[in-house]
Amino acid sequence: SDSPGYHIAKGQIGVKENNEVKYRNWRYAYTVGEPTGTISLPKLNVLYRGNKNEILGGGSGFTTYRLVAVDNVQIRNENGKQIAYPGRDRISKIKVIGVNSNGQESDLGTHEFRVENTPTPNLKLGSAEENRDAELSEITYATRITPYYGPGIPLNCNYKIVDYIVKIEGVPQTKSGRGPILSSEVKQYLRTARVGSTVTIQTTIMNTISNTTSRKNATYKIQ
C-alpha cells in the first residue's frame, strides 16, 4: 500500500477439484503504520531559560533517531542526556531525524516549544520557609539563606545567594552579608528577634545557568 491506515486486500484463489479449477474469494485486513517522530519533556511542557531542560525523542519505525536544533535553542549531550537551552525568543524549534539500520535518515518533523523564564524561587531563612509563620527557634538558630522551589514546580533550583540584608521589625539597624552563609554578626542580630515581630530579608540572587541576577525579598512572621 502507498498510504498508512486500515486496508483490505482481496482476490480469488483457484482450487483444482476433480480435475476442475474452482475459484474462491479471499480477503485479508491489515494496517500500515506511518513512521512518526516525537519529542517529550519528562518533567515539563515548556523550555525554561536558566534551566537544564532534559529532552527525549523517538522515531517510530526507525532504529534510532537524533534531535536537531532548528531555531532559538541549543542542544547539548551532558552525562548521557540531551539538554536543551532555549534562547531569548518566545518559541524554540527542534527537529526529529529518524535513522534506519543502514544509516538512511528521514525528516520526521519539527516541534515547537514555548519558552519561559525560570520562576523566581522562594527563600528559606534557616528552616523557616517563605509564606508561612515561623517558629522563634527557626529564626534565632538560622545559619544560611537557601533558594528553593516548592512541590508545585518540578525544576532544579539553579539559583545562589549573592548578597543579602536582614531587617527585624522594631529594631532600628539592619545587617548585611554576602553569599548564603550568615555571618556571626548576622546570627547574633537574629537572636534579638521576638515572637510577634517580622523578619525581612532582601537578597540578590543569581541563576547559575544563565548567570543573570535579580532581586528577591521575603518576610517571616514569628509565632
Side-chain angles (χ1 to χ4, degrees):
S1 175
D2 59 358
S3 63
Y6 180 81
H7 298 273
I8 295 178
K10 58 185 179 179
Q12 289 184 322
I13 182 170
V15 180
K16 190 173 184 180
E17 297 179 353
N18 299 322
N19 293 322
E20 181 182 357
V21 177
K22 296 182 179 181
Y23 289 91
R24 297 174 180 173
N25 295 328
W26 63 267
R27 59 184 284 141
Y28 179 78
Y30 65 97
T31 301
V32 176
E34 181 178 19
T36 59
T38 61
I39 297 175
S40 63
L41 296 169
K43 299 180 180 179
L44 310 172
N45 59 6
V46 296
L47 297 178
Y48 284 93
R49 299 184 192 92
N51 183 67
K52 293 185 175 183
N53 301 278
E54 181 183 349
I55 56 175
L56 299 175
S60 174
F62 292 87
T63 304
T64 185
Y65 70 92
R66 63 187 181 90
L67 301 179
V68 178
V70 176
D71 185 41
N72 191 47
V73 66
Q74 292 183 348
I75 300 175
R76 304 174 190 167
N77 291 318
E78 300 180 5
N79 299 319
K81 298 179 180 179
Q82 292 182 295
I83 307 298
Y85 295 94
R88 294 179 176 273
D89 294 338
R90 298 177 63 86
I91 297 293
S92 289
K93 297 180 181 180
I94 300 175
K95 179 181 292 186
V96 185
I97 302 294
V99 184
N100 288 326
S101 58
N102 61 5
Q104 183 179 0
E105 297 186 346
S106 297
D107 186 341
L108 301 183
T110 298
H111 299 256
E112 292 188 357
F113 298 93
R114 291 184 297 112
V115 177
E116 296 182 3
N117 293 324
T118 52
T120 301
N122 291 335
L123 298 176
K124 284 183 181 178
L125 180 57
S127 61
E129 296 180 1
E130 187 179 353
N131 301 321
R132 73 166 177 81
D133 293 339
E135 298 291 334
L136 179 61
S137 59
E138 290 183 294
I139 300 299
T140 56
Y141 287 97
T143 60
R144 65 181 298 136
I145 304 170
T146 307
Y148 75 99
Y149 287 134
I153 301 179
L155 299 174
N156 293 324
C157 189
N158 300 305
Y159 283 89
K160 67 178 183 179
I161 302 296
V162 178
D163 55 41
Y164 62 87
I165 298 173
V166 180
K167 168 66 177 176
I168 300 175
E169 181 185 11
V171 179
Q173 73 269 30
T174 62
K175 298 294 181 182
S176 61
R178 298 189 62 82
I181 305 302
L182 302 179
S183 67
S184 56
E185 184 180 17
V186 172
K187 289 188 286 187
Q188 185 65 36
Y189 175 70
L190 287 173
R191 294 191 183 103
T192 65
R194 296 293 180 262
V195 172
S197 63
T198 298
V199 176
T200 302
I201 54 175
Q202 301 173 346
T203 69
T204 303
I205 56 176
M206 173 182 285
N207 185 290
T208 58
I209 304 298
S210 62
N211 292 323
T212 56
T213 59
S214 57
R215 299 291 295 172
K216 167 62 182 177
N217 301 337
T219 59
Y220 309 86
K221 182 70 174 180
I222 302 175
Q223 298 297 317

